[in-house]
Amino acid sequence: WTMFELTFSGGWPTFAKLFVEKVSAYYIIFFVVYVLWVVFASLRIATALLIRDTMAAAAKDSSLMMEVEMQSKRQYVAKIRKLFEALDTSGDGRLTQEEFQAVCRRPQVLDLVKVLDVHVSDADALFEILDLGDGDGSVSVDEFVGGLLRVKGNA
C-alpha cells in the first residue's frame, strides 16, 4: 500500500491491523501519529486558504470603501464650489464679509447650506473661521472649501 492509500482511503485501521498482528504492536503508534499529523496538516492548509481568501476580500473591501469615501468627498467639494459661485455676487472670485452676511439671510441659501451639513447660526463667526488663511477680510474659493470642510456638521 502507498502512503496516499493509507492516509486518504479512510481504512487505515484495516491496514494498520495487518502490521500490528504480523509484525509488531508498536506499529500502531506510528499509524496513529502519522494519521493525526496528516489530519492536522490538512486542516492547517484549509484554514490558511480560507484566511487568505478572507483577507483578500477584506483588503478589496477596504480599498473600495476608501474609493467611495474619496468620491463622496470630491462630490462634496464640487457642491461647496457651486455654493461659493452662488454666494459671490460680485463675481470677482472673492467673498467679502458683507456679501456673506447678505446672502446668509436668504432662505434658499440657508437650505443649501443645511444640505451641505453646515449649520449657520452666526454668519460673522463662520466668516472668521473661513477667513483663517490670510485674514484679509475676504475669502477665496480655496479658503471657503477648506473652511467648510473643517466646520462640516458643527459650525
Side-chain angles (χ1 to χ4, degrees), residues 45-111:
I45 291 170
T47 303
L49 292 174
L50 181 65
I51 289 173
R52 183 195 65 188
D53 292 344
T54 302
M55 296 303 286
K60 186 176 181 181
D61 187 41
S62 175
S63 64
L64 178 64
M65 292 302 293
M66 280 186 5
E67 182 61 35
V68 167
E69 184 67 30
M70 291 300 294
Q71 180 65 25
S72 173
K73 189 172 182 176
R74 283 191 291 270
Q75 290 173 348
Y76 184 78
V77 168
K79 288 178 185 177
I80 292 175
R81 288 184 181 276
K82 278 186 178 182
L83 175 64
F84 181 85
E85 291 171 6
L87 296 178
D88 184 20
T89 55
S90 65
D92 63 352
R94 308 274 310 163
L95 189 61
T96 64
Q97 191 163 5
E98 292 79 26
E99 284 178 310
F100 188 72
Q101 287 174 345
V103 294
C104 279
R105 294 186 194 116
R106 297 183 199 161
Q108 62 268 32
V109 172
L110 291 175
D111 291 341

Side-chain angles (χ1 to χ4, degrees), residues 132-143:
L132 282 179
D134 53 12
D136 64 351
S138 66
V139 177
S140 68
V141 67
D142 293 329
E143 288 175 315

Side-chain angles (χ1 to χ4, degrees), residues 31-52:
F31 282 106
V32 168
V33 169
Y34 175 74
V35 169
L36 288 176
W37 181 80
V38 168
V39 168
F40 176 75
S42 299
L43 287 174
R44 297 285 293 171
I45 291 170
T47 303
L49 292 174
L50 181 65
I51 289 173
R52 183 195 65 188

